[in-house]
Amino acid sequence: MTDASASSLPAPLARWFADRGWAPRQHQLAMLEAARAGRHALLVAPTGAGKTMAGFLASLVELIDKPGDGLHTLYVSPLKALAVDVQRNLLGPIAEMDLDIRVETRTGDTPHNRKVRQRQRPPHMLLTTPESLSLLISYADSANLFADLKTVIVDEVHAFATQKRGDLLSLSMARLQTLAPGLRRVALSATVADSQGYARWLAPDADADSVTIVTGEAGAEAEIEILLPEDRVPWSGHSGSYATEQVMEIIAAHKTTLVFCNTRGLAELIFQDLWKANGGELPIGIHHGSLSREARRKVEAAMARGELRGLVATASLDLGVDWGDVDCVVQMGAPKGASRLLQRIGRSNHRLDEPSKAILVPGNRFEYLEARAALDAVAERELDLDIFRLGSLDVLAQHLMACACAAPFEEAAMLAEVRSAAPYRDLPSAEFSRELDYIASGGYALRAYDRYKRLASDVDADGQTIWRVSHPKFEKQHRLNAGIIVDAPILDVRFKNGRKLGTVEEYFAATLSPGDTFFFAGMSLEVLGIKDTDLTVRASSRPARIPTYVGARLPLTTHLADRVRGFLANPAEWAAFPEDVEEWLRVQSEKSVLPKPGELLIETFPHEDRQFMVAYSFEGWNAHQSLGMLVTRRMETAGLKPIGFVANDYSFATYSLERVRDPAPLFSPDILEDEFVDWVQNSHLLKRAFREVAVIGGLVERQHPGKRKTGKQVTFSTDLIYDVLRRYEPDHLLLEAAWADARTKLTDVGRLAGLLDRAADTMVHADLPRVSPLAVPVLVLIGREHVAQGTVDDALLIEAEALAEIAMEGV
């Protein structure tokens, strides 16, 4: 491969760079050279390094050198907002070079008439999402649409490669490779730790050697600081709302500040707090995935025009979006991962040669340690490892149905194509046949019902099995219901005139009555009534609640957990901490124990006529929720009379009437062999997981033509089918898929198993006369397990200080 240089660019591109006094960066030219050699490419480069130009450079060169009318480049983004942002950033240079290159987006927000036109007369570059691409593949004209496709660009590949959306995208790329055999694949990311793993995911047939891996030059070191309160770091809470006044001062001191929150509920809370502190003086906004398309687009346009001084956002804006005037990022609460923090920091001063500026606002003392751990990890470029897994069976079922909607397919050829997608490389032939039988019949227990017979098969003259859609109605049904993201059942929030503000989850809406108020879309809303799938509201000035959302917690990564444990075991580090945090750790070491890396500390102590046991395992909220449930069941069997348990990312605490004398039997690894299986199979976790896989796998529809099912209807349908399958076909494909989901996503069973495996050899039991300083953050959660995440009320703070006074007694 020869070295590329700026002189190798076509004249319009060369002039465009020269007119701005720029020169292509070396990694951009390396990506161009890989394209000219016909190789797939993975670019790992820091934020602000020009990854978008690097990804599209070869396409621009090819379209300048050889203009055409068909679809040349397909860009796939994890976020709708990112696709819109990339379109805006491409259209400017294309217009400045006076090039006849059409660039359009296609997402769930795209009007229907434009989608129809795009299939008839596609743009040269189409920017889309995995779900919209899968729908495009389902049309009969997809073979013609993609026949001349030259390049597919996967942006922010780390955001979905290891998840179900990545399974769908990998299968879609396998289909595109069949339709356009010369297709070249490109992936971009700033936060990839295992480049070889991502190269295998990207390449056809999982051949990493066919991928050129390009590493971008390092950028300026980020400037990160931790915001400390004016008095003391709080004992408990997650929002960081104590720092509202300080955050408003930060917003006032910068051009534009992005304030990131880990959940939608927390975003609404922080926006309200900032709005009150702001007094309406500075223009600030809010952005999250539950807001309506119009609300999100309005905020995005205002940001692009530089009209907002502050924007409160969730993960809906933390991937790749380039807001030119953002010069500061604030993270409310702990970031939960170094890679996530690096992504969010990169939204500030989105240029390679200027340092990004970020301020972390920890919600409590453990979160202060976590913030320090994240800061150190970013400084050392230690990213969170991603674990690649086998492809999901429900996603494969959806993809096969999409392919059948486009045209009949031959079974053996389709199996070979599916195996060219990395997550399904080792899919057994028998499992593939089982997938097809499921789509064709619904499975043994459901085959008597015609509604589940979506595919039919024939044998051609060569003896090959051909699969086709059994009736045209199933094609429309598939396109109405396809998708990988299965949110909790939702209701539309609307004013009386029909204007939609966004959505709230049905279980939250069920707690509301006419006259109640809640904060949403940055305003206080009064409930007028609920009918079908609409929650009708009007604006109000009364105090209001914050909406809560199911499954909104971000997991604490293993790397950050290990770093926090390292802080606890190294007193030499404490001098750099705030005085009250240092005192907290010092008193804990005097009155109890601080766990060393790898140790499992168990504390037992009495408090207010109850007996407490606190386990400090640092394995994250999901694992702690599961283990807390299992341990309390064992306590019940042992006659310890447990009352309940609470958990956070760092520990979990049980409280009972009888004291735990020996905790070791409660943590033996065999708890996963019988009790865990029994608990999951008989809990809401498996039913919830089954609802998701049943929707993704096409067994249950969310929508009918002109009507969307309510959450209750979907839940009723899936629960009924679940009970039938559990009784008559316990080895049904979707039950297996649901079990796999429940073990991983909902319970974090991998971390749970690791914890139990080491518990016997690493357990340290501290039997104490009173509550310890380290236990205070988790104990104050008792009685508040269902309070909206991020809400920190005066009562909680008062209780935390009262507990702390007992724990720190004698200091």
Side-chain angles (χ1 to χ4, degrees), residues 2 33 35 42 98 103 112 152 161 189 213 346 391 399 444 447 485 499 523 525 540 562 568 577 633 651 660 722:
T2 59
E33 191 71 4
L42 167 66
D98 196 26
V103 182
H112 176 71
V152 59
S189 179
I213 300 176
H399 174 73
Y444 169 78
R447 64 179 62 246
I485 301 174
R499 177 189 163 201
M523 64 185 85
L525 301 174
S540 172
D562 289 344
L568 298 182
F577 299 166
R633 287 168 64 123
S651 62
V660 176
Y722 173 82

Side-chain angles (χ1 to χ4, degrees), residues 365-615:
R365 297 184 180 195
F366 266 122
E367 285 201 350
Y368 171 82
L369 299 180
E370 186 183 331
R372 282 295 302 264
L375 190 153
D376 292 349
V378 167
E380 297 172 19
R381 297 292 298 181
E382 182 185 68
L383 302 177
D384 303 310
L385 289 177
D386 289 310
I387 299 174
F388 292 88
R389 41 179 259 306
L390 298 177
S392 299
L393 300 178
D394 50 334
V395 176
L396 178 56
Q398 184 177 129
H399 174 73
L400 292 174
M401 189 64 194
C403 292
C405 288
F409 60 79
E410 194 265 308
E411 182 173 335
M414 182 57 71
L415 174 58
E417 179 181 301
V418 166
R419 284 175 172 168
S420 71
Y424 300 91
R425 185 180 187 181
D426 299 319
L427 182 71
S429 299
E431 191 69 32
F432 184 70
S433 297
R434 188 173 168 226
E435 285 272 354
L436 292 171
D437 178 68
Y438 155 67
I439 308 172
S441 68
Y444 169 78
L446 302 175
R447 64 179 62 246
Y449 302 94
D450 290 341
R451 61 180 296 187
Y452 301 117
K453 298 177 180 179
R454 294 174 288 156
L455 288 186
S457 63
D458 300 301
V459 178
D460 67 9
D462 297 324
Q464 300 297 320
T465 302
I466 307 297
W467 291 89
R468 56 178 174 78
V469 176
S470 60
H471 191 281
K473 68 180 181 182
F474 291 118
E475 296 179 17
K476 178 177 288 188
Q477 175 182 308
H478 171 80
R479 296 187 185 110
L480 275 175
N481 292 280
I484 298 303
I485 301 174
V486 182
D487 291 323
I490 57 174
L491 270 69
D492 292 331
V493 181
R494 296 183 184 275
F495 284 132
K496 288 183 68 174
N497 63 6
R499 177 189 163 201
K500 181 179 175 181
L501 296 174
T503 60
V504 294
E505 293 180 1
E506 189 175 74
Y507 93 98
F508 171 73
T511 69
L512 301 173
S513 301
D516 289 346
T517 55
F518 65 98
F519 283 124
F520 188 74
M523 64 185 85
S524 176
L525 301 174
E526 180 184 343
V527 176
L528 297 179
I530 300 175
K531 183 178 180 181
D532 298 328
T533 59
D534 286 344
L535 174 62
T536 307
V537 298
R538 67 183 176 191
S540 172
S541 59
R542 293 161 50 202
R545 300 164 57 189
I546 301 295
T548 51
Y549 297 89
V550 171
R553 300 187 72 116
L554 296 173
L556 174 67
T557 65
T558 302
H559 274 165
L560 283 197
D562 289 344
R563 283 181 174 270
V564 171
R565 293 167 69 97
F567 287 151
L568 298 182
N570 187 5
E573 298 265 12
W574 301 352
F577 299 166
E579 183 178 347
D580 50 343
V581 174
E582 186 275 337
E583 179 188 60
W584 172 53
L585 299 180
R586 177 176 53 78
V587 175
Q588 170 70 21
S589 67
E590 295 169 356
K591 293 181 174 291
S592 179
V593 176
L594 280 168
K596 298 176 182 177
E599 285 185 346
L600 173 62
L601 171 62
I602 306 291
E603 291 180 333
T604 52
F605 49 81
H607 179 65
E608 292 184 347
D609 299 323
R610 295 180 182 179
Q611 300 293 331
F612 290 84
M613 179 180 69
V614 184

Side-chain angles (χ1 to χ4, degrees), residues 182-221:
L183 176 68
R184 198 173 61 86
R185 305 182 185 189
V186 173
L188 315 172
S189 179
T191 52
V192 161
D194 179 9
S195 57
Q196 287 293 326
Y198 281 93
R200 285 190 293 272
W201 179 88
L202 179 66
D205 302 314
D207 179 14
D209 291 337
S210 67
V211 179
T212 295
I213 300 176
V214 178
T215 302
E217 58 191 281
E221 290 292 329

Side-chain angles (χ1 to χ4, degrees), residues 623 626-627 630 672 676 747-757:
S626 301
L627 190 54
L630 294 172
L672 289 181
F676 176 78
T747 64
D748 215 342
V749 71
R751 296 179 74 166
L752 189 59
L755 164 63
L756 294 172
D757 283 342

Side-chain angles (χ1 to χ4, degrees), residues 194-470:
D194 179 9
S195 57
Q196 287 293 326
Y198 281 93
R200 285 190 293 272
W201 179 88
L202 179 66
D205 302 314
D207 179 14
D209 291 337
S210 67
V211 179
T212 295
I213 300 176
V214 178
T215 302
E217 58 191 281
E221 290 292 329
E223 298 176 357
I224 314 173
E225 61 181 273
I226 299 175
L227 182 68
L228 297 177
E230 297 172 352
D231 46 10
R232 295 167 63 88
V233 179
W235 284 92
S236 190
H238 295 280
S239 69
S241 60
Y242 64 84
T244 299
E245 296 284 348
Q246 293 166 280
V247 173
M248 272 311 309
E249 291 174 4
I250 293 169
I251 293 173
H254 292 83
K255 292 181 182 177
T256 307
T257 301
L258 273 178
V259 181
F260 279 113
C261 300
N262 290 339
T263 68
R264 290 165 285 179
L266 181 55
E268 291 282 354
L269 171 71
I270 294 300
F271 178 82
Q272 290 299 324
D273 287 347
L274 291 175
W275 189 257
K276 293 173 186 175
N278 179 32
E281 296 181 7
L282 299 177
I284 60 175
I286 184 171
H287 189 290
H288 59 72
S290 290
L291 298 179
S292 67
R293 174 181 61 190
E294 292 75 15
R296 285 183 279 111
R297 286 285 178 87
K298 183 178 179 180
V299 167
E300 291 163 17
M303 280 290 288
R305 294 191 298 266
E307 296 174 356
L308 292 181
R309 294 292 299 278
L311 179 61
V312 180
T314 60
S316 61
L317 284 184
D318 70 0
L319 290 174
V321 180
D322 181 9
W323 307 116
D325 287 334
V326 173
D327 55 350
C328 184
V329 164
V330 174
Q331 167 67 44
M332 303 299 293
K336 302 301 171 189
S339 297
R340 182 178 298 111
L341 177 61
L342 197 61
Q343 281 288 338
R344 292 180 172 182
I345 290 172
R347 309 285 68 79
S348 162
N349 291 331
H350 199 86
R351 289 170 289 278
L352 191 65
D353 54 352
E354 292 189 21
S356 297
K357 182 176 181 180
I359 299 171
L360 310 185
V361 185
N364 58 58
R365 297 184 180 195
F366 266 122
E367 285 201 350
Y368 171 82
L369 299 180
E370 186 183 331
R372 282 295 302 264
L375 190 153
D376 292 349
V378 167
E380 297 172 19
R381 297 292 298 181
E382 182 185 68
L383 302 177
D384 303 310
L385 289 177
D386 289 310
I387 299 174
F388 292 88
R389 41 179 259 306
L390 298 177
S392 299
L393 300 178
D394 50 334
V395 176
L396 178 56
Q398 184 177 129
H399 174 73
L400 292 174
M401 189 64 194
C403 292
C405 288
F409 60 79
E410 194 265 308
E411 182 173 335
M414 182 57 71
L415 174 58
E417 179 181 301
V418 166
R419 284 175 172 168
S420 71
Y424 300 91
R425 185 180 187 181
D426 299 319
L427 182 71
S429 299
E431 191 69 32
F432 184 70
S433 297
R434 188 173 168 226
E435 285 272 354
L436 292 171
D437 178 68
Y438 155 67
I439 308 172
S441 68
Y444 169 78
L446 302 175
R447 64 179 62 246
Y449 302 94
D450 290 341
R451 61 180 296 187
Y452 301 117
K453 298 177 180 179
R454 294 174 288 156
L455 288 186
S457 63
D458 300 301
V459 178
D460 67 9
D462 297 324
Q464 300 297 320
T465 302
I466 307 297
W467 291 89
R468 56 178 174 78
V469 176
S470 60

